Amino acid sequence: MKQEVMTRFISYAEIDTQSNEDNDTCPSTPGQMELAHKLVEELKEIGMQEVTVDEHGYVMATLPSNTDKEVPTIGFLAHLDTATDLTGANVKPQVVENYDGSDIVLNKDLNVVLSTKSFPELAEYKGHTLITTDGTTLLGADDKAGIAEIMTAMNYLLQHPEIKHGKIRVAFTPDEEIGRGPHKFDVAAFNASYAYTMDGGPLGELEYESFNAAAAKITVNGVNVHPGTAKGKMIHSSKIAMALHLRLPAGEAPEFTEGYEGFYHLISIQGSAEQSKLHYIIRDFDRHQFEARKAHLTSIVDEFKSTYGDENVILEIKDQYYNMREKIEPVRQIVDIAHEAMVNLDIKPIIRPIRGGTDGSQLSYMGLPTPNIFAGGENFHGKFEYVSADNMVKAVQVIVEIAKLFEQKA
C-alpha cells in the first residue's frame, strides 16, 4: 500500500496543475484536464464503475455496494489544482527514506534547507518516508496526496471484497485553490448523502468548521503629472492606497492571528501614481463578525470616496463561502464516524477549525455535508512543503475504516 500511494502521488505531482484566477475557463489551466483524464484511465483500470469526466474537468466514479444493508451513499473528494503562491511547473519530488530527524537539504546549489530549527515539527517524522520538493517549486501534496489516498483506498476495497461497504462515490474537482472548486459541481449527479474531502494537513486533522470568506478588490485612481511640475496637480494613487490599508487594524492580519480569530489579509498590491489595486481576503468564523469586517472595510473606503470621489476609490467585494459548521451540525454523526475511524486505527483525532478554504465549505451549502480529513502534508503552498508517505497510508486506512463503519452502523 505504501509503495502504491507514493507512486500514484509522485506521478500526479509531476503534472503542472496550478490554477489561474485570471482565466475564466473551467478548469482554469490545461494541466488540470490532463490530470483528470489520467485519473479516468486509472479509475477504469482498477475496476471503478460509472467513471466520467465532464467538459469542466470534474471526475466522478462509483464503487458499488457489496452489502445487502441499506447504507447511505458516501463520497470522497480531492482537488486537482495546486496553489498559486509558488510555481507548480517542473515539480521534482524527492524521497527521503527513514528520515533521521536532521536538516534536509532540498537544493544544494541554491542552499535551500528544510531545517529543524525553522520547522520543529520535523521531529515527529523521524523514521518516516518523506516526500519533499527540490527547493524550487511547491510539492502539490495539497491536494494530490488526497487524490492518491482516495485512489489507493478504492483499489484496496476492490481487491478486498470481504470488506463490506455501501455505495461509494469519488470525485476530483478543479480550481479549488482559486475558490471555484464546487462552482460547476453537479451535486445531484454525484448523488451522495454525505462526503469527505481528503484535503487536510497533518495526521489526525478532522475539521468541520471553516471561515466565512469574502474577497475584496480596491481600485484607486490618481492623477500622474511630471514630478517637476506636479505641485497641486498630482494625486498619487499608491500613497492613497497605502494610507487606506493602514486604516485596517494592524493586529488583525494572518501573521498575528490563530484559532478562531479572524483577519483581513492583503493578498497583493500593485500600483503607480496613476492607478493602484489592492486585493484582500476577509475571514472570520463568526457570521456576525464576518459581516462587521466587511462593513468596516466599506466604511473606510467610503471615507476615502468622500475625499477623492466615488469614481476614484472603487470597492468590489464578494462572498466566497460560509462556515460549513451550520450545515454539518445537524448531521454530526458523519464527524463522529470519522472520529471513531481514527480512534480504531490508533490515530489521535485533532478537531479544530479550518483556517483556510476547502471545497466542503461550499458543498455543504449546496446540500452535500462535507467535513475535511487529513491528507498528511505540511507547509502547503511553498518550497518547504513535504508529506509523510506513512501518514498517507494512514489516510488510506481511515477512508477504508469510514466505509466499514457506515456499513456496520446501517
Side-chain angles (χ1 to χ4, degrees):
M1 183 183 290
K2 183 174 178 179
Q3 188 57 54
E4 178 184 350
V5 77
M6 287 176 60
T7 300
R8 289 188 187 278
F9 170 68
I10 290 171
S11 72
Y12 305 153
E14 290 172 342
I15 301 173
D16 180 7
T17 63
Q18 189 172 47
S19 48
N20 185 346
E21 64 182 352
D22 294 328
N23 292 340
D24 294 331
T25 58
C26 182
S28 63
T29 50
Q32 295 182 71
M33 190 63 84
E34 178 185 347
L35 178 54
H37 284 292
K38 174 180 174 64
L39 292 170
V40 164
E41 293 306 310
E42 292 185 5
L43 287 162
K44 291 178 179 178
E45 286 172 6
I46 66 174
M48 294 288 281
Q49 296 185 17
E50 300 173 333
V51 181
T52 62
V53 58
D54 67 14
E55 68 272 24
H56 301 300
Y58 289 82
V59 178
M60 295 185 184
T62 299
L63 178 63
S65 171
N66 65 357
T67 179
D68 293 332
K69 293 184 177 181
E70 292 286 336
V71 182
T73 299
I74 59 172
F76 294 94
L77 300 94
H79 60 88
L80 301 164
D81 64 319
T82 58
T84 59
D85 305 67
L86 184 67
T87 182
N90 301 311
V91 174
K92 297 179 176 64
Q94 301 183 134
V95 177
V96 180
E97 299 280 3
N98 193 23
Y99 172 57
D100 63 7
S102 63
D103 292 354
I104 301 172
V105 178
L106 300 179
N107 193 302
K108 184 177 180 180
D109 293 340
L110 298 177
N111 194 30
V112 181
V113 179
L114 181 62
S115 73
T116 55
K117 181 179 179 180
S118 298
F119 304 102
E121 70 279 358
L122 278 164
E124 301 172 15
Y125 292 94
K126 191 171 182 178
H128 286 226
T129 298
L130 301 183
I131 306 173
T132 74
T133 75
D134 70 349
T136 64
T137 70
L138 49 68
L139 180 62
D142 179 13
D143 187 27
K144 291 171 182 174
I147 297 174
E149 290 154 6
I150 293 169
M151 292 292 299
T152 304
M154 294 304 104
N155 191 34
Y156 185 85
L157 288 169
L158 282 160
Q159 297 299 321
H160 293 82
E162 72 276 8
I163 299 174
K164 298 302 178 183
H165 57 81
K167 182 178 179 180
I168 299 173
R169 293 281 279 160
V170 301
F172 305 119
T173 61
D175 293 333
E176 187 267 357
E177 295 289 357
I178 56 175
R180 304 179 197 164
H183 285 192
K184 297 183 183 296
F185 186 83
D186 192 335
V187 171
F190 192 59
N191 196 26
S193 299
Y194 318 109
Y196 300 89
T197 47
M198 303 300 298
D199 192 19
L203 179 70
E205 281 192 353
L206 173 56
E207 301 155 324
Y208 67 97
E209 297 178 77
S210 62
F211 282 128
N212 296 290
K217 181 173 74 173
I218 301 171
T219 303
V220 181
N221 295 313
V223 176
N224 192 22
V225 178
H226 188 285
T229 58
K231 185 175 181 179
K233 300 175 184 177
M234 178 183 286
I235 302 174
H236 201 299
S237 78
S238 290
K239 292 180 180 179
I240 297 169
M242 288 188 289
L244 191 155
H245 173 70
L246 290 174
R247 289 291 308 281
L248 290 170
E252 296 180 20
E255 60 267 39
F256 304 114
T257 55
E258 61 184 354
Y260 283 93
E261 297 171 331
F263 58 73
Y264 304 89
H265 179 38
L266 179 62
I267 294 287
S268 66
I269 178 170
Q270 301 95 28
S272 62
E274 187 72 27
Q275 186 181 75
S276 298
K277 293 185 178 182
L278 304 98
H279 292 259
Y280 290 92
I281 58 172
I282 302 168
R283 300 290 189 263
D284 209 293
F285 289 97
D286 181 89
R287 188 65 172 267
H288 177 74
Q289 291 297 324
F290 173 62
E291 297 298 334
R293 287 185 183 280
K294 292 189 293 179
H296 183 54
L297 180 60
T298 301
S299 69
I300 293 171
V301 171
D302 286 345
E303 289 181 29
F304 279 75
K305 282 177 179 286
S306 67
T307 301
Y308 298 103
D310 289 357
E311 71 279 7
N312 292 322
V313 187
I314 303 163
L315 170 64
E316 301 172 56
I317 190 165
K318 183 179 181 180
D319 288 358
Q320 296 172 301
Y321 55 85
Y322 303 109
N323 190 339
M324 62 187 182
R325 178 173 182 167
E326 179 182 331
K327 299 299 181 181
I328 293 178
E329 281 284 10
V331 289
R332 176 60 190 258
Q333 69 270 19
I334 64 177
V335 177
D336 295 338
I337 286 176
H339 187 283
E340 183 178 344
M342 292 185 194
V343 170
N344 290 351
L345 296 165
D346 295 323
I347 298 169
K348 181 181 178 181
I350 303 170
I351 298 181
R352 58 189 174 197
I354 304 170
R355 290 186 61 82
T358 171
D359 280 347
S361 300
Q362 296 182 56
L363 290 170
S364 294
Y365 280 85
M366 293 166 66
L368 181 63
T370 309
N372 190 42
I373 294 173
F374 72 92
E378 297 265 14
N379 303 335
F380 290 155
H381 296 196
K383 62 187 177 184
F384 295 111
E385 183 182 7
Y386 63 93
V387 65
S388 162
D390 302 73
N391 289 351
M392 289 175 69
V393 169
K394 291 182 178 180
V396 173
Q397 294 170 340
V398 168
I399 294 171
V400 173
E401 188 69 15
I402 288 172
K404 290 167 60 177
L405 287 172
F406 266 94
E407 195 273 341
Q408 290 170 11
K409 294 176 183 294

